[in-house]
Every structure is written in structure tokens, then in C-alpha cells.
Amino acid sequence: MSSPLTVLIADADDEMRRLLADAIRAEAPDATVREATNGVDLQRALERDRVDLVFVDVVLPQTDGAAIARWRAEAGRHSMVILVSDLLSPRWPSIATHLGAYDVLLKPVGGRQVRNAVEACRVIRRTLSLLVVDPNRATRAVIRRLLDQSHFSFEVVESEGGRRAVNLARRRLFDIAIIDMALPDYPALEVACQIQDRQSATKLIMMGVDLDAETSRFDTFGIAGLLRKPFHFVDIDRTVHAAFGLWRPYLINALQAEQARAVQRPPGAAQRGAAH
């Protein structure tokens, strides 16, 4: 059983801190809730305590964004930073990315938003065991690089074919299995079926270039998500969120919009870091 969450609320407004603290305790009664009224107190708290989830007002006095980014990098992907603002702005995605923030929420932050954040934090603070089944070594390497950019933490095990994947699933448990539809030695859906028979809790994600023809069969096999090649790290985050039944954060939508604009760039503009 995982340990209770430690949540830090950094906001100069007493009422906002109280409302947010009440919402957190309603969703996670065993959580430890700490508070900071300025950036100095925030930095001290981050240096002193192990913190799983941080809510930071974007206009918090005396706040050093670089210090938050350093803490986020040192704490690793088992921690979450959520920015809280009075209004959304086109610049929040770039600021949030710089700070390593998970999302941006609008005030007043309600119970549903806190519930979404707590549920996501409980998954993000874990290291997820992930089986990647793809016959192409270069593709598996790209997938690893994309996973390194995800908000989630993974212990990745690779398989070039279906038979080895099934054998691996006999020996150890996996939280997630990403299976390419074009396996050379075994039907991909049969691999998914055999993994599911042994590990009913494993989230099965199928990937491929043309998945539409198989969509009608996926429900029968309990498929939790689809990755259409080529895909980016945002697509992996979106798919993992969906597989675990998590609310998709605003930042994923914003980053996907930026990605869509990049696709529409004039011919010759390079696109890097995608799995094919």
C-alpha cells in the first residue's frame, strides 16, 4: 500500500488556501497538507519536506521559478506541480513546461479539479512497469526517448516479438503493455489476449499505422488505448491518462494544439522525436 500524500499549497490568499486545503482533505483524508504564503516559505518547505503534490499560485510573492524547476528536476517524475491562476493565458503552456508543471488550473479550484489531481498524483508517484512489444529496434529506442519526456515514470522492458512478450508476461507483472499490430511471429491481438489472461489488471495499448480496420475487435480484447504512428510524447501521456481513467490535463490539450500547428508548417519543416 502506498504512503499517504503530502500536499503543499502556496498561495498568499488565506481564503484560497483554506478552500483548497478543505478540498484536498475531502478527497484524500489521510493526506498531510502544508501551506506557504510566499516564495521564500515555499522554497523552505520544498527543501525540508518530501512533497508529492504542489499547488502554486502563479503570482505568489517572492517566488523563484528557477528554484521550483530545480526542485521538480531533483524530485523526479514522482512529484507533481500544478499552477493556479485567475485566468488562462497563451503563455501558460511554455511557463508550465519550463517549470515541469503537470497542469494549470483556474481559481477557484473546486473539488472535481482536486479529485483529478489527486488521482493523477497517485499514479504518477509510482514507477509503472511497461512492456514495449515492437519488432523494430529503432522504433523501440524512439519510444524510450518519448517516455523520458512523459509525466509518468516507467520501468521499460522490451520485446521484439510476440512469443517473447508472452513468456515475459508469464514471469513478471506489467502495469502497461504497448503492442505493435505488425508483429512478425504472432498475431498482436493474440499476444494481448494471452497477457490479459495472465494479468487482468495490465493496461493493453495497441499501436500501429492503420488501426481503424481493427477498431471493432479491440473492445473484445479489453484494449485500454490506441497509439497511431507516428506519435509524440504528448500522445503517450494522453493514452496513459485514458488507460488509467485519469482526467486529461489542460496542458495536454494545449500541447496537442501546438503539435497540430507544427504539422501544418510549410513543407520542409522538420519534425523530430516521433515514433514511426
Side-chain angles (χ1 to χ4, degrees):
M1 180 179 294
S2 60
S3 59
L5 297 177
T6 298
V7 184
L8 175 60
I9 304 169
D11 196 306
D13 189 309
D14 293 344
E15 182 66 10
M16 288 296 102
R17 292 199 312 278
R18 184 188 66 78
L19 291 173
L20 188 49
D22 288 346
I24 292 167
R25 292 188 177 104
E27 295 302 327
D30 60 348
T32 298
V33 180
R34 307 194 187 283
E35 299 182 9
T37 59
N38 56 59
V40 175
D41 290 343
L42 168 63
Q43 186 167 345
R44 287 173 180 163
L46 293 177
E47 292 172 350
R48 182 183 64 243
D49 303 320
R50 180 194 62 80
V51 179
D52 301 298
L53 174 57
V54 185
F55 291 91
V56 185
D57 182 17
V58 295
V59 292
L60 184 71
Q62 300 173 281
T63 299
D64 181 358
I68 296 176
R70 283 196 301 273
W71 172 81
R72 177 66 179 76
E74 292 168 0
R77 284 177 287 177
H78 295 286
S79 62
M80 279 175 55
V81 175
I82 292 181
L83 304 181
V84 182
S85 173
D86 288 314
L87 51 87
L88 288 179
S89 167
R91 64 195 180 99
W92 289 149
S94 60
I95 293 174
T97 300
H98 172 69
L99 296 179
Y102 173 79
D103 204 0
V104 180
L105 299 180
L106 283 178
K107 291 183 178 181
V109 178
R112 179 178 59 81
Q113 294 166 304
V114 171
R115 183 182 311 116
N116 295 338
V118 168
E119 289 175 350
C121 187
R122 285 174 172 149
V123 177
I124 282 175
R125 72 201 295 238
R126 297 166 50 195
T127 296
L128 302 174
S129 179
L130 169 63
L131 175 62
V132 177
V133 189
D134 191 291
N136 189 298
R137 179 182 296 178
T139 299
R140 298 197 305 271
V142 171
I143 290 173
R144 276 187 176 270
R145 289 198 296 272
L146 295 179
L147 291 170
D148 284 341
Q149 301 174 59
S150 171
H151 282 290
F152 299 92
S153 301
F154 301 97
E155 178 190 1
V156 181
V157 177
E158 297 181 13
S159 175
E160 72 287 349
R163 294 186 185 278
R164 181 167 185 268
V166 171
N167 287 332
L168 286 168
R170 289 180 180 138
R171 299 197 298 269
R172 60 173 297 176
L173 297 175
F174 292 100
D175 295 299
I176 309 173
I178 299 178
I179 306 168
D180 189 77
M181 288 297 296
L183 299 179
D185 63 336
Y186 224 56
L189 288 177
E190 178 64 21
V191 174
C193 184
Q194 291 204 32
I195 291 176
Q196 187 181 60
D197 284 345
R198 291 170 173 80
Q199 307 181 23
S200 60
T202 302
K203 312 297 184 184
L204 300 172
I205 297 173
M206 310 306 295
M207 65 177 171
V209 175
D210 184 11
L211 299 178
D212 293 336
E214 301 286 349
T215 301
S216 61
R217 302 174 61 195
F218 288 153
D219 288 343
T220 304
F221 288 85
I223 303 304
L226 305 177
L227 279 172
R228 289 179 171 82
K229 295 180 177 180
F231 54 83
H232 300 259
F233 84 95
V234 173
D235 302 306
I236 290 180
D237 259 20
R238 172 185 53 77
T239 304
V240 174
H241 273 85
F244 282 93
L246 302 175
W247 181 264
R248 185 167 66 177
Y250 156 77
L251 279 179
I252 288 185
N253 295 332
L255 291 171
Q256 281 190 310
E258 290 183 1
Q259 179 180 305
R261 287 192 293 271
V263 171
Q264 296 172 359
R265 289 172 184 166
Q271 292 193 40
R272 302 166 58 189
H276 296 267

